[in-house]
Amino acid sequence: VTSRSSRLTSLADVAARAGVSITTASRVLSGSRHPVAAATRTRVLEVAAELDFEPNLLARGLVMHRTHIVGVLVHDLTDEFYARIVRGIEDVAFENGFSVVVCDTDRDADKEIAYVRRLRSQRVDAIIYAGSSAADAAKQTELVEQLRRVEAAGAVLLRLAPHATVEPDVSYSTREGFGLLVDHLVSFGHHEFAYVGAPAALNSTRVARYALAEVLRRHGIEFRASRMITGDGTRAAGVDAAKHLVETGRGDAELPVTAVLAATDHAAAGLVQGFAAHGVDVPGEVSVVGFGDLTLAGDLGLTTVHVPLHALGDGAMKRAIWILGGGARMGRDNLPLELVVRASSGPAPSG
Amino acid sequence: VTSRSSRLTSLADVAARAGVSITTASRVLSGSRHPVAAATRTRVLEVAAELDFEPNLLARGLVMHRTHIVGVLVHDLTDEFYARIVRGIEDVAFENGFSVVVCDTDRDADKEIAYVRRLRSQRVDAIIYAGSSAADAAKQTELVEQLRRVEAAGAVLLRLAPHATVEPDVSYSTREGFGLLVDHLVSFGHHEFAYVGAPAALNSTRVARYALAEVLRRHGIEFRASRMITGDGTRAAGVDAAKHLVETGRGDAELPVTAVLAATDHAAAGLVQGFAAHGVDVPGEVSVVGFGDLTLAGDLGLTTVHVPLHALGDGAMKRAIWILGGGARMGRDNLPLELVVRASSGPAPSG
DNA sequence: ATGAAAGCGCTAACAT
DNA sequence: ATGTTAGCGCTTTCAT
């Protein structure tokens, strides 16, 4: 036992002072539905207030097998995309007496595994998993196994992104998003596209590629694999991709495509920046569109798809609470997306 | 007791399976320095791995009076300013086996109080308090009292911002920041300034006003109270302030000031946006500078002061760990600031 | 309506 | 080196 200052006031203190048993004190203070005489109840409440009693949630959790703690796994809190999701989760959590433990994984499978273990050790009631990790098969297997154990232990696992062949619980349709974007671009006369995606190993990337190819096919456009540029969703990836596209077009003295879709607004911002650095006019020579509608999209005038991030977190947390309360698991819920047209997209250059 | 699936494997399970007492199992699994025979140790470790044992941190915390949980109070995680601080805290926390509970307060004193109570109930080892709240005296008193109780209970309280006359533990010098900014602007010939601050009730606002006035005085510039515009640090506040300044100058057919300092990069962004909306050229007619150096500052070409946000969180968490380990409390640590000159500031308009 | 006692899973004196 | 015992602070049968 670490030497610490004066013990906090416990139920025993309240009980003693109120002249009742610990049991009775517990009954009034823990919101038990067990009958307690009105007078007794008042007395206990008074003493509790007087002593500023705060129940020890550790003890409570130990016996209740419920901690009212939820762990959230995200790539990086510093990315507004995830910050807004976490905020949504936290708002609902706060209202319902839950605490939120944030876990930034940086897409590092080892960190993810370590975090999941720790959350299990903490006996969290639920884990909200946002963002799929890029990892080798072995790591993936271990992570899946850890998640399985957490669920086996009674915790609720909710996904905001596809993971290891499992559908997300609350999410959005990437296909729908691409549909909005491509419809918009096609209406502007574009038919040569490039896509700056996320790491190839990510589940979400697989899904995105497939979805994009399908959307394009609907417009009778064949999507060449060479126009699928691998990135990591960062601004730097966008800058690099712009450079790559400019250099690829060098021979023809013009760009190989007239429109570039990015997996994130960050990458789109990088594309705009990169094109500008090479003197390529956006949207004059090439249109650029992002995905997410972060603040930066507004600042930079990026055409993008608005993703209801706060609602995503909000919905996930509500579901977690619902299930913890004994509610039945439900299927995937796709939140509506919206096209936001700004200055980074325009008519395809005639030529 | 809530009905839950199969119990998790406990120390007792490991002990039984390894043929040792729970105590022995605990000794090897909890990293106790108590001697244990090498063979026994190995056996226990084997069984623990086999059963994928994870210690119940609730039970551990209950007896150890240490939870390895730290609560972080910030205005809003969605603001990159705070997100980066939290990230700094979390990186150190992760390395040291601590979990981070995030608490968005929205500068709402009631939420702050509620969160602090909850953190106390959770028996967190430390609370890192970032951002001062705006509240009436009564609320302030209650919050201070709650924080006092948390400390009395043995938790470490660390401040990243001044609060109720208490100095922050890890922070930066607002005066230094203003110094960098004002020196820069004065060298550009500016001598009529306006400041778009945060809510007047905030401690940090008081400090900022005082610091700014002093810095200006160093340059022999008197700062008029009427040029102190109250805002809330948001972009909208900046937009409003720009409008206000433009309208104030209406009579003279020109702006009353040639340079505007903002309390945050967000407000500075709003100022730039607002001035643009009124056809005022930045920096041609007026220079605008922010504070923080968030990503948006780079995107918008804002001259600002770079605040080492990650290091702020990092430093606070390291300190918390140090103190929890029995280290002595130390005085305020001011992290170095840096002037970042971009396109939003320029020579004062001659005339 | 109230209370006594058992136990959640763990660590730490205190034996042996 | 190992085990026995006593809690940490709480909820909950099971009496009364």
Side-chain angles (χ1 to χ4, degrees):
Chain A
V1 178
T2 320
S3 73
R4 288 291 268 289
S5 41
S6 55
R7 237 179 64 276
L8 284 180
T9 94
S10 71
L11 247 197
D13 301 326
V14 176
R17 184 108 177 235
V20 298
S21 72
I22 295 184
T23 307
T24 300
S26 166
R27 293 211 254 252
V28 4
L29 263 12
S30 70
S32 157
R33 51 220 273 85
H34 193 103
V36 173
T40 314
R41 156 160 282 123
T42 311
R43 176 90 192 100
V44 171
L45 252 17
E46 273 173 15
V47 174
E50 195 176 317
L51 267 40
D52 198 36
F53 169 76
E54 277 298 328
N56 184 324
L57 262 28
L58 298 170
R60 188 119 103 184
L62 191 56
V63 21
M64 301 279 280
H65 290 292
R66 272 279 191 287
T67 53
H68 286 264
I69 300 179
V70 40
V72 180
L73 292 166
V74 294
H75 291 336
D76 181 11
L77 203 68
T78 269
D79 183 338
E80 187 190 338
F81 191 91
Y82 297 104
R84 287 186 15 206
I85 290 176
V86 173
R87 192 55 155 92
I89 293 171
E90 204 216 314
D91 286 344
V92 174
F94 177 71
E95 287 302 323
N96 292 275
F98 280 80
S99 289
V100 176
V101 172
V102 287
C103 308
D104 282 304
T105 66
D106 295 321
R107 280 207 189 97
D108 176 337
D110 289 323
K111 262 185 106 172
E112 287 198 340
I113 294 169
Y115 263 128
V116 172
R117 290 194 83 102
R118 194 177 296 173
L119 291 174
R120 179 149 68 95
S121 220
Q122 277 193 266
R123 302 302 192 257
V124 296
D125 287 345
I127 290 184
I128 296 180
Y129 186 87
S132 47
S133 61
D136 53 275
K139 290 279 168 54
Q140 268 312 319
T141 307
E142 188 179 348
L143 178 56
V144 168
E145 172 60 15
Q146 283 299 329
L147 289 172
R148 199 195 58 67
R149 284 179 201 276
V150 169
E151 285 197 276
V156 171
L157 174 61
L158 245 28
R159 298 169 219 266
L160 294 186
H163 180 246
T165 76
V166 183
E167 284 259 297
D169 297 88
V170 180
S171 191
Y172 51 87
S173 163
T174 309
R175 170 172 303 123
E176 181 191 343
F178 284 141
L180 294 169
L181 257 9
V182 171
D183 285 353
H184 165 68
L185 292 168
V186 165
S187 79
F188 262 149
H190 294 274
H191 48 82
E192 286 290 348
F193 300 85
Y195 173 64
V196 182
L202 252 51
N203 295 295
S204 51
T205 303
R206 244 190 324 98
V207 173
R209 290 187 174 204
Y210 186 79
L212 181 55
E214 192 194 295
V215 165
L216 289 173
R217 207 176 307 123
R218 269 206 316 248
H219 285 281
I221 299 172
E222 170 222 3
F223 190 59
R224 305 189 220 158
S226 63
R227 297 287 161 72
M228 190 70 91
I229 304 171
T230 296
D232 59 1
T234 62
R235 179 182 294 241
V239 173
D240 290 349
K243 180 156 177 264
H244 171 75
L245 287 168
V246 169
E247 286 171 353
T248 301
R250 202 68 88 195
D252 321 342
E254 66 181 31
L255 289 175
V257 299
T258 63
V260 187
L261 294 97
T264 67
D265 281 345
H266 302 297
L271 280 163
V272 169
Q273 182 181 326
F275 281 132
H278 287 281
V280 176
D281 184 53
V282 173
E285 296 176 65
V286 61
S287 285
V288 172
V289 298
F291 210 112
D293 194 23
L294 306 182
T295 305
L296 118 186
D299 283 345
L300 269 28
L302 251 37
T303 289
T304 189
V305 170
H306 180 78
V307 178
L309 300 163
H310 189 282
L312 231 42
D314 175 295
M317 190 62 210
K318 279 183 178 150
R319 242 184 216 231
I321 292 173
W322 162 259
I323 296 172
L324 284 169
R329 273 224 168 241
M330 299 166 289
R332 171 173 185 160
D333 182 20
N334 275 336
L335 269 36
L337 262 22
E338 232 169 291
L339 178 70
V340 182
V341 179
R342 294 204 183 87
S344 70
S345 61
S350 50
Chain B
V1 177
T2 319
S3 73
R4 287 292 266 286
S5 42
S6 53
R7 239 183 59 276
L8 282 180
T9 92
S10 71
L11 246 198
D13 301 325
V14 176
R17 183 110 176 231
V20 298
S21 73
I22 295 186
T23 306
T24 301
S26 166
R27 293 210 252 253
V28 2
L29 262 12
S30 71
S32 155
R33 50 220 274 87
H34 194 104
V36 173
T40 313
R41 156 161 279 124
T42 311
R43 178 90 191 98
V44 172
L45 252 18
E46 272 173 14
V47 174
E50 196 175 316
L51 267 39
D52 198 36
F53 169 77
E54 278 297 328
N56 184 324
L57 261 29
L58 298 170
R60 188 119 103 187
L62 191 55
V63 21
M64 301 278 281
H65 291 290
R66 271 279 191 286
T67 53
H68 285 264
I69 299 179
V70 39
V72 180
L73 292 167
V74 294
H75 290 338
D76 181 10
L77 203 68
T78 268
D79 183 339
E80 187 189 338
F81 192 91
Y82 297 103
R84 280 172 39 193
I85 289 176
V86 173
R87 192 56 155 92
I89 292 171
E90 204 216 314
D91 286 344
V92 174
F94 177 72
E95 287 301 324
N96 292 273
F98 280 79
S99 289
V100 176
V101 171
V102 286
C103 309
D104 282 304
T105 66
D106 294 321
R107 278 206 190 99
D108 175 337
D110 288 322
K111 263 185 104 172
E112 286 197 340
I113 293 170
Y115 263 128
V116 172
R117 289 193 83 102
R118 194 177 297 173
L119 291 174
R120 177 150 69 94
S121 220
Q122 278 193 263
R123 304 301 192 255
V124 297
D125 287 345
I127 290 184
I128 296 180
Y129 186 87
S132 48
S133 60
D136 55 275
K139 290 280 169 54
Q140 267 312 320
T141 306
E142 188 181 346
L143 178 56
V144 167
E145 173 59 14
Q146 282 300 329
L147 289 171
R148 200 195 57 67
R149 284 180 200 275
V150 169
E151 283 196 277
V156 170
L157 173 61
L158 245 29
R159 297 170 220 266
L160 294 186
H163 179 248
T165 76
V166 183
E167 284 259 296
D169 297 270
V170 180
S171 192
Y172 51 86
S173 163
T174 308
R175 171 172 300 122
E176 180 190 345
F178 283 142
L180 294 169
L181 255 11
V182 171
D183 285 353
H184 165 67
L185 292 169
V186 165
S187 80
F188 261 150
H190 293 274
H191 48 82
E192 286 291 348
F193 300 85
Y195 173 65
V196 182
L202 252 50
N203 295 294
S204 51
T205 301
R206 246 192 320 100
V207 172
R209 289 186 173 207
Y210 185 81
L212 180 55
E214 191 195 298
V215 165
L216 289 173
R217 208 175 305 122
R218 269 207 319 247
H219 285 283
I221 300 172
E222 170 222 3
F223 189 57
R224 305 189 221 159
S226 63
R227 298 288 161 73
M228 188 71 89
I229 304 170
T230 296
D232 60 0
T234 63
R235 181 181 294 239
V239 173
D240 289 349
K243 181 159 177 260
H244 171 76
L245 287 168
V246 169
E247 286 171 354
T248 301
R250 200 70 86 193
D252 321 344
E254 69 180 27
L255 289 175
V257 301
T258 65
V260 187
L261 295 96
T264 68
D265 281 345
H266 302 296
L271 280 164
V272 170
Q273 183 182 324
F275 281 133
H278 286 280
V280 176
D281 184 54
V282 173
E285 297 175 64
V286 61
S287 284
V288 172
V289 299
F291 211 112
D293 194 22
L294 306 182
T295 305
L296 119 186
D299 283 344
L300 268 28
L302 250 38
T303 289
T304 188
V305 169
H306 180 79
V307 178
L309 299 164
H310 189 282
L312 230 42
D314 175 296
M317 190 62 211
K318 280 184 178 150
R319 242 183 215 230
I321 292 173
W322 162 260
I323 296 171
L324 285 169
R329 273 226 168 239
M330 299 167 289
R332 171 173 187 162
D333 182 20
N334 274 336
L335 269 36
L337 263 21
E338 233 170 290
L339 178 71
V340 182
V341 178
R342 296 205 182 88
S344 69
S345 62
S350 49

